[in-house]
Structures are given as C-alpha cells and as structure tokens.
Amino acid sequence: MRVLVSVASRHGATREMGTVVAEELRAAGHDVAEVEPEDVERVDAYDAVVLGSAVYVGRLALGLRALVDRQGGQLRGRPTWLFWSGPIGDPPVPTTVPDDVTALATAVGARGVAMFPGRLERTGLDLSERALVALTRAEAGDFRDLDAVRAWGREVAQALVAHGADA
C-alpha cells in the first residue's frame, strides 16, 4: 500500500517519531512518503495516512489542523491513524487529551490514536516558548519511548495488511 506519513513538528522530536513509524511501515513492505503537512496538496494518491503532531499550549500544530481542514473528506475516505506527542516529565504531564485531538480524530475517522511522551530542549526555543516553559515549570529532557513508537508503527502496518486483505 502507498502510505502518507505527515507530521507537524516545530523542533523535530515529533518528526523523528514519524520517521520511526515510517520505517516500520516500510519494513512491512509499504511504499511510504514522508511529507510536511504544509506540503500536502492532496491525499487521494495514498491508500492510507498516518498523521502526527506535537502539542503546543494544549493544541495540535496549526500545520496539521490546516491539512485536515483542506483534506478532511479525502482523509475520511481512507484508513487514517493519528499520533501526538507533548506530555513531558517523569511521570509525563499533562495527562489530559487536548480537545482538538479528539475533534481531529473524529474529523478524519481515525482508526487509531496514540499519545507518546515528548522531548523538551530549552536550547532553540524562541522567547515566547522560553517564557511558557518558565511559567509552567516544564521539565526539560527527552521522555520519548521510541520502542513504544516502533510497536505502534508495527500495529498500524499490521492493520494495513489486514485492510488490504479485506479490499
């Protein structure tokens, strides 16, 4: 199957998670294109889609939300999965699911939604991001569990194989 993996990531940590998912899909024999959400013009060339986004200030990234606004109907017409990253710390906080995650998953008819802890590196943050980190006393560090991301990627790959057999 031809699969689009499109991930909105301001600082690269969530994009790296998307690449891990894409690698698992490729290992299962799928033809995978990794494309930034802003660069996706149409999704009708793909048999399935995996969307990912970091969560900033309790919201999915604008680029991913805009992709869904542009292509929502096309996304509902094919198997689509969604993952998001954002909770940080040990244990990861916040534990709540941002409202727009649920709304976006519903809008695309997501077959699965996964949350993964993220990474916060203070270097490279702009002034407003540094202020937010200071205000919330967010814990810096890399809290990602790439093995869990790999396992989820394998689950998506297996679901696509099952979907292909049903077609």
Side-chain angles (χ1 to χ4, degrees):
M1 296 183 91
R2 181 139 170 80
V3 183
L4 169 66
V5 175
S6 188
V7 178
S9 178
R10 192 176 295 166
H11 299 286
T14 307
R15 184 174 301 105
E16 291 171 6
M17 297 162 98
T19 296
V20 167
V21 171
E23 290 169 353
E24 292 300 325
L25 293 167
R26 285 185 189 105
H30 299 292
D31 178 15
V32 181
E34 295 178 72
V35 183
E36 296 289 324
E38 295 81 6
D39 296 333
V40 176
E41 293 180 20
R42 302 190 50 83
V43 298
D44 55 357
Y46 302 98
D47 302 307
V49 178
V50 175
L51 302 173
S53 179
V55 170
Y56 300 102
V57 195
R59 296 200 40 117
L60 293 169
L62 179 60
L64 188 70
R65 294 191 323 253
L67 168 57
V68 170
D69 286 345
R70 289 190 315 271
Q71 294 291 304
Q74 290 289 322
L75 289 163
R76 279 188 299 280
R78 59 202 17 82
T80 301
W81 284 263
L82 171 67
F83 77 90
W84 59 282
S85 71
I88 54 172
D90 188 15
V93 290
T95 58
T96 57
V97 176
D99 291 339
D100 63 348
V101 168
T102 302
L104 190 138
T106 300
V108 302
R111 295 189 177 202
V113 178
M115 180 281 299
F116 300 106
R119 178 181 76 194
L120 172 62
E121 292 180 352
R122 287 193 164 85
T123 58
L125 298 179
D126 66 25
L127 183 60
S128 63
E129 291 169 327
R130 286 194 308 265
L132 181 63
V133 167
L135 181 67
T136 61
R137 298 185 178 146
E139 185 179 347
D142 190 344
F143 304 98
R144 297 174 300 165
D145 181 348
L146 296 181
D147 288 335
V149 175
R150 276 185 202 90
W152 187 75
R154 285 190 298 275
E155 288 176 22
V156 172
Q158 291 169 353
L160 287 174
V161 169
H163 176 77
D166 292 337

